Amino acid sequence: MRISIIGLGGSGKTHLAKRLARELGVPLISLDRIWISSGGETMRSASEKETARQHLHGRVRELIEQPDWICEGVYRRIQPEITAGADIVIYLPKSLPRRVTNHFVRTFRPHERHPELSLLDDLKHTFVIIRKHPKRSRHLRELLATSADKLVVLPDRHAVNQMLRTLPADTRQVVDHIRSHARKYRRR
């Protein structure tokens, strides 16, 4: 079972991925964690950033070779490979105000923050979410169009929680279970 969870910053990808990984006993691939641990968040020069990108790509390619995984995050340059390897792609659409609120709240919850980043860096990221919203929204729409055959939209917290509450114990049935819940919420 290979699940990719996508959405813009603050949409709840990490929260959902951690819960699914914990409940299903499946390895979690966090693109942000790999990017930050490679130094990508603190590098300034183009060559340093390219080195961090190469590290991210190499590490992700290695991890998605595993038979089971849950990957959360959206990095445009590696996303097509992740999507191609996924059995299902879960999209969490959230409005910009909701995403900014989610990120801001997470920033002040020590157990939910990126431990590699300072509080100030995390706060600064709130403004990145706002500033880059138009560009990242456009890239995400392009990604959604290319993964339509695997795409499942969980439109709100209620849909996510309902799907999580009724997860089957047999991991072979999880992908179909997620798809069935997405269909229910599309009809509402």
Side-chain angles (χ1 to χ4, degrees), residues 97-114:
R98 176 81 260 166
R99 293 185 304 107
V100 169
T101 301
N102 288 351
H103 179 76
F104 196 74
V105 168
R106 181 180 74 188
T107 297
F108 291 100
R109 290 185 177 155
H111 62 284
E112 293 183 21
R113 288 187 54 239
H114 291 292

Side-chain angles (χ1 to χ4, degrees), residues 18-186:
K18 283 180 178 178
R19 285 200 52 197
L20 279 173
R22 183 177 59 244
E23 293 187 27
L24 300 172
V26 175
L28 173 62
I29 303 169
S30 173
L31 299 182
D32 283 346
R33 290 269 187 256
I34 297 170
W35 176 250
I36 293 167
S37 68
S38 71
E41 199 65 28
T42 58
M43 294 179 180
R44 299 293 174 232
S45 76
S47 64
E48 288 176 325
K49 287 207 180 246
E50 188 54 38
T51 300
R53 283 186 193 106
Q54 288 174 0
H55 176 265
L56 172 76
H57 290 199
R59 185 74 180 121
V60 169
R61 285 182 182 118
E62 175 186 316
L63 292 169
I64 63 175
E65 290 300 315
Q66 298 175 43
D68 295 311
W69 46 260
I70 295 171
C71 181
E72 64 89 11
V74 179
Y75 281 73
R76 193 175 67 151
R77 296 179 185 187
I78 191 75
Q79 204 66 44
E81 292 179 52
I82 296 167
T83 301
D87 299 317
I88 191 168
V89 176
I90 300 173
Y91 171 50
L92 303 175
K94 298 286 186 290
S95 68
L96 179 60
R98 176 81 260 166
R99 293 185 304 107
V100 169
T101 301
N102 288 351
H103 179 76
F104 196 74
V105 168
R106 181 180 74 188
T107 297
F108 291 100
R109 290 185 177 155
H111 62 284
E112 293 183 21
R113 288 187 54 239
H114 291 292
E116 306 89 347
L117 298 179
S118 70
L119 178 62
L120 181 60
D121 286 336
D122 240 348
L123 284 171
K124 286 178 187 175
H125 192 70
T126 305
F127 298 103
V128 171
I129 289 172
I130 296 167
R131 183 172 46 89
K132 294 193 174 184
H133 173 77
K135 182 179 180 181
R136 290 187 175 163
S137 294
R138 186 177 63 251
H139 294 303
L140 188 61
R141 281 192 301 274
E142 292 167 5
L143 175 62
L144 293 172
T146 62
S147 58
D149 60 324
K150 298 179 179 187
L151 186 64
V152 167
V153 179
L154 295 177
D156 55 35
R157 186 176 303 173
H158 176 71
V160 170
N161 288 335
Q162 179 64 27
M163 182 271 298
L164 287 169
R165 273 194 299 274
T166 57
L167 272 177
D170 185 350
T171 58
R172 293 172 297 188
Q173 298 172 353
V174 169
V175 170
D176 290 334
H177 173 77
I178 294 170
R179 283 191 180 117
S180 73
H181 275 273
R183 273 194 229 95
K184 287 178 191 174
Y185 291 102
R186 283 189 195 134

